[in-house]
Amino acid sequence: MKHTISALVINRAGVLAESSAAFQKNGINITSISCGETENMDVSRMVICAEGNDEDLANVTKDLQAMDFVIKLDDLARRDFVDRELVLIKVAVNKDSMSQIMQIFEVFRADVIGMGQKTITAELSGDQERVEGLIKMLQPIGIKSMCRTGMIALKRGDE
């Protein structure tokens, strides 16, 4: 089962490593992790996406909450949050594929940010399903390289 953990943590060295070690200790693979400062420079928000059973995740959550640098921890459910991910993607291009690639970019509202003789580079920001959809459509054409930020997320509403 997929889980998304949002953690407000004290912004100091070693926090990311210690947090990921809790997942390793419990045998849970992290599929995406992002971390950055919040509106308060002394506090960072980590968003960790992982796959595992509920019991293992409960153990990780318990381990994380016991760490002195954790301020607040939330296990987000799909209905409870809004998420975004950024992908930069470089695709092989030729005269025959250019039109198809541009149509795919238009459908997904991806922005072209660079062009070479044999490649075109675009960026897309959206939820993980949209990013995965773009990747799936471009794979048969020939993805040369790609970089993803990992998911960032916030609770919906006033909380």
Side-chain angles (χ1 to χ4, degrees):
M1 182 173 198
K2 290 184 177 186
H3 297 273
T4 302
I5 304 292
S6 175
L8 289 176
V9 296
I10 296 171
N11 189 7
R12 71 173 193 226
V15 167
L16 190 59
E18 288 182 53
S19 299
S20 62
F23 284 82
Q24 180 184 17
K25 173 185 152 192
N26 287 281
I28 295 178
N29 183 46
I30 295 173
T31 57
S32 168
I33 188 167
S34 64
C35 186
E37 289 178 351
T38 64
E39 65 282 359
N40 177 348
M41 291 176 39
D42 296 328
V43 176
S44 289
R45 180 181 303 277
M46 283 192 301
V47 177
I48 303 168
C49 300
E51 292 191 25
N53 65 47
D54 291 340
E55 182 180 333
D56 289 340
L57 189 75
N59 291 334
V60 168
T61 301
K62 183 178 175 185
D63 290 348
L64 289 172
Q65 287 174 327
M67 294 179 178
D68 67 340
F69 54 80
V70 175
I71 299 167
K72 184 177 180 184
L73 193 72
D74 287 313
D75 182 5
L76 304 175
R78 168 51 80 197
R79 66 192 182 315
D80 295 330
F81 68 95
V82 59
D83 65 285
R84 291 293 178 265
E85 181 177 9
L86 172 67
V87 63
L88 300 177
I89 192 161
K90 186 179 289 189
V91 183
V93 67
N94 59 45
K95 288 185 265 183
D96 298 331
S97 65
M98 178 61 94
S99 176
Q100 180 185 9
I101 292 168
M102 294 307 291
Q103 286 177 345
I104 292 169
F105 288 166
E106 186 176 332
V107 166
F108 284 90
R109 296 186 306 276
D111 295 320
V112 174
I113 58 171
M115 289 191 75
Q117 296 287 333
K118 299 176 184 176
T119 62
I120 186 168
T121 304
E123 69 178 357
L124 173 71
S125 173
D127 62 26
Q128 285 188 318
E129 291 81 12
R130 188 166 159 214
V131 170
E132 291 290 339
L134 176 68
I135 293 166
K136 184 178 178 181
M137 293 299 294
L138 293 173
Q139 280 176 331
I141 296 168
I143 296 173
K144 298 306 251 177
S145 61
M146 180 175 67
C147 182
R148 295 171 73 167
T149 60
M151 182 198 303
I152 56 172
L154 288 174
K155 278 186 167 181
R156 289 188 184 272
D158 295 331
E159 269 189 74

